[in-house]
Amino acid sequence: MLSASATVDPAFVVGPVRRRTFGSFVEHLGRCVYTGIYDPGHATADEDGFRQDVVDLVKELGVTTVRYPGGNFVSGYRWEDGIGPKSERPRRLDLAWHSTEPNEVGLDEFMRWCTKAGVEPMMAINLGTRGVAEALDILDYCNIAGGTELSDKRRKNGAEEPYKVRMWCLGNEMDGPWQTGHKTAPEYARLATETARAMRQVDPGLELVACGSSSSDMDTFGTWEHTVLSEAYEQVDYVSAHEYYYEEDGDLASFLGSGHKMSNFIESVVATADAARAAGKHTKRINISFDEWNVWYQKATPSMPPTGDDWPVAPVLLEDTYNVADAVVVGDLLITLLRHTDRVHSASLAQLVNVIAPIMTEPGGRSWKQTTFHPFALTARHARGEVLRVAVQSPTMQTAKHGEIAALTAVATHDAETGEVVLFSANRSTDEALELAVDVRGFGDLRVVEAVTYANDDPYWHATADDDTSVLPVPNATAAVSGGAFTMTAPAVSWSMVRFARA
Ligand code: AHR
């Protein structure tokens, strides 16, 4: 048995819990849109063809913002193809995923879906095959009240009121050689700066995201951010970070250390952004939009796009099946995002439905929750108020990929209004339970309202359409607090959440 100790105190404030930390992502990729959120023949489909069972799951997941329409898809996308009468919309090749895009769902449908799901849209624009003019066009269509050709077209298409989209991604993964219209850092810096400047001429209050690196493993990581921010600094608010934590390939310890890798990535992006701030003598800070993150079984067959003459509509792509260990990693990654809430101002779990997703559907049939649904839903629901740093003294574990890392990771939130304190933690050990002792005296007398742990004797258990309830977060009977001392035992490969209230 491992043992770790920690202190949580109301003074250890990192920053606010930002609702946008619990964002997600809907891309025209595989079955995320078609037979995912949209399935007109489904028994629960509404008048727009959206599945109500999926909307209900999205609400239960607690997603706040949804990035759209890609992803790699956006870099070849013409947004005008997806507006107006459906019968007149063109079918086009989607080069990113070697598919055919039928354009049955487009911008107006997505905005209606956002209203139904109660989420904020976060739009990505095409800076792969397009540029400043098209960015201005989509901004006009979305955000201008009326009186211009494009805003009047939106009204004619059924949306009298402007969508008032606040957050815009200036392209997607433009550092990646796989991206349609991939750019060098100086090329992208120029285009992003000019696009942002023009968009701000329409509305200076927009929140604009410059593309950062597609992963911390990119050869250009660091220099890309430096070049882009050296030019675009004053025109943008955020730099993006994308990273997927790849399947466990026989090295569970390294996989469970994914949060350690994400933490290093975030801190390096912050350092690069702050170096650009110093060099350019800027006063504002550039924060991070971590707008693609998840576990991804990238080497698995479902991730391979079609080839040759085969350009299917909505093929099965990236339909990863997640196990309990994956869910522990997702919980740990959320802990990591919260721990950096001072600089990570937005994040998107990629993606939402069917494609590397917490929600799965059968075309015309059932929908169900993957294991990763649970830590996300609980964190999104209960993290409130301010994020508190947890001062941890943890035993360490050796990993092949990250060296020596802490076995325990934790973060807390504190809602000063209600007095609720929530402790989120993960035991990354592959084989040992961990006894945790936490000093919570700074809050006065507390009682445990709820303590749940997600783990399983077989960490490779995964949910199916037939069974997504056998392994759920369950009450942790070892959790107890007395005289400001909290204790709990967390099994190996586990994620836990403990909610406290004033006694
Ligand atoms: O989320 C899947 C893909 O991963 C996205 O389209 C792309 O941006 C990233 O490489």
Side-chain angles (χ1 to χ4, degrees):
M1 172 91 78
L2 302 172
S3 61
S5 61
T7 306
V8 196
D9 188 276
F12 294 178
V13 176
V14 184
V17 175
R18 299 176 198 279
R19 298 321 300 164
R20 281 181 177 161
T21 302
F22 306 108
S24 186
F25 180 24
V26 165
E27 176 167 2
H28 284 248
L29 192 182
R31 298 195 309 112
C32 187
V33 172
Y34 302 108
T35 73
I37 63 170
Y38 175 82
D39 197 352
H42 193 267
T44 70
D46 64 14
E47 67 288 358
D48 288 318
F50 290 122
R51 288 179 66 146
Q52 187 59 44
D53 60 336
V54 172
V55 166
D56 291 343
L57 284 171
V58 170
K59 287 185 173 165
E60 189 182 338
L61 187 63
V63 160
T64 51
T65 41
V66 176
R67 185 168 176 254
Y68 177 86
N72 296 341
F73 170 79
V74 79
S75 297
Y77 183 52
R78 307 180 208 195
W79 66 271
E80 311 89 315
D81 289 348
I83 60 170
K86 288 195 180 188
S87 57
E88 292 169 21
R89 297 186 192 175
R91 289 164 72 87
R92 301 247 188 229
L93 296 185
D94 161 19
L95 303 187
W97 302 106
H98 206 92
S99 306
T100 295
E101 173 53 51
N103 282 308
E104 263 182 63
V105 172
L107 198 155
D108 292 311
E109 288 81 20
F110 176 68
M111 294 295 169
R112 283 204 287 282
W113 181 82
C114 285
T115 304
K116 291 170 200 228
V119 300
E120 177 194 2
M122 172 182 175
M123 295 298 287
I125 56 173
N126 176 356
L127 290 188
T129 59
R130 306 189 117 187
V132 182
E134 295 90 348
L136 290 175
D137 285 350
I138 188 172
L139 181 60
D140 183 342
Y141 186 87
C142 284
N143 283 9
I144 297 298
T148 62
E149 183 191 348
L150 288 167
S151 60
D152 286 342
K153 194 177 269 184
R154 181 201 67 240
R155 293 167 67 202
K156 189 167 148 254
N157 288 339
E160 183 57 34
E161 293 303 317
Y163 297 126
K164 297 185 180 156
V165 178
R166 304 314 308 155
M167 208 164 168
W168 296 81
C169 299
L170 303 169
N172 176 71
E173 294 191 350
M174 298 311 300
D175 63 323
W178 58 86
Q179 202 69 215
T180 308
H182 159 65
K183 311 259 180 295
T184 63
E187 286 167 351
Y188 174 70
R190 185 97 285 269
L191 181 57
T193 306
E194 289 312 324
T195 307
R197 202 193 312 276
M199 291 175 79
R200 287 207 191 285
Q201 285 180 294
V202 178
D203 180 354
L206 297 175
E207 297 179 58
L208 301 179
V209 187
C211 288
S213 291
S214 305
S215 111
S216 59
D217 295 327
M218 295 294 290
D219 288 342
T220 49
F221 172 51
T223 55
W224 173 275
E225 283 79 357
H226 174 78
T227 306
V228 170
L229 291 180
S230 294
E231 184 160 358
Y233 201 98
E234 281 303 326
Q235 298 301 334
V236 301
D237 304 285
Y238 309 96
V239 62
S240 72
H242 289 185
E243 191 142 78
Y244 293 95
Y245 300 89
Y246 296 124
E247 63 264 43
E248 186 240 315
D249 50 5
D251 176 4
L252 182 57
S254 291
F255 178 60
L256 291 168
S258 296
H260 179 87
K261 186 175 186 210
M262 180 192 250
S263 197
N264 282 342
F265 185 21
I266 292 170
E267 286 158 24
S268 303
V269 176
V270 167
T272 315
D274 287 351
R277 175 175 183 254
K281 302 186 172 42
H282 304 284
T283 49
K284 73 172 187 184
R285 284 190 197 280
I286 298 290
N287 294 302
I288 298 175
S289 170
F290 211 121
D291 44 46
E292 287 189 35
W293 68 271
N294 204 348
V295 173
W296 183 353
Y297 284 71
Q298 210 176 32
K299 293 191 201 105
T301 318
S303 288
M304 304 303 170
T307 52
D309 293 336
D310 186 20
W311 296 86
V313 174
V316 171
L317 279 174
L318 283 63
E319 299 205 7
D320 287 1
T321 300
Y322 292 118
N323 58 42
V324 174
D326 296 326
V328 170
V329 168
V330 163
D332 188 338
L333 296 172
L334 274 166
I335 289 170
T336 308
L337 291 168
L338 285 171
R339 281 180 42 234
H340 293 89
T341 194
D342 53 335
R343 299 304 293 272
V344 177
H345 285 203
S346 180
S348 303
L349 174 73
Q351 298 192 2
L352 186 58
V353 186
N354 290 330
V355 173
I356 43 175
I359 298 169
M360 299 299 291
T361 67
E362 292 170 334
R366 296 171 292 180
S367 52
W368 72 98
K369 300 172 189 170
Q370 295 237 48
T371 56
T372 52
F373 187 100
H374 305 294
F376 191 103
L378 287 169
T379 310
R381 191 174 319 143
H382 295 294
R384 288 280 182 276
E386 287 177 314
V387 177
L388 303 181
R389 183 175 69 87
V390 178
V392 169
Q393 284 89 45
S394 168
T396 57
M397 53 194 261
Q398 274 303 329
T399 64
K401 291 188 184 147
H402 322 294
E404 190 176 2
I405 64 167
L408 170 75
T409 181
V411 74
T413 60
H414 178 215
D415 185 338
E417 266 175 41
T418 61
E420 178 154 306
V421 179
V422 187
L423 177 68
F424 301 95
S425 64
N427 176 9
R428 295 166 170 165
S429 170
T430 57
D431 52 3
E432 284 192 81
L434 184 140
E435 216 167 42
L436 173 61
V438 188
D439 181 344
V440 289
R441 281 174 300 175
F443 297 97
D445 245 5
L446 291 181
R447 67 188 163 84
V448 172
V449 176
E450 181 186 19
V452 289
T453 292
Y454 195 47
N456 195 39
D457 289 344
D458 173 13
Y460 299 104
W461 181 89
H462 62 83
T464 62
D466 293 323
D467 175 16
D468 67 350
T469 54
S470 286
V471 181
L472 293 173
V474 290
N476 186 323
T478 66
V481 65
S482 162
F486 169 72
T487 51
M488 183 182 80
T489 302
V493 195
S494 67
W495 174 90
S496 300
M497 178 194 76
V498 185
R499 293 168 54 216
F500 302 90
R502 291 188 194 113

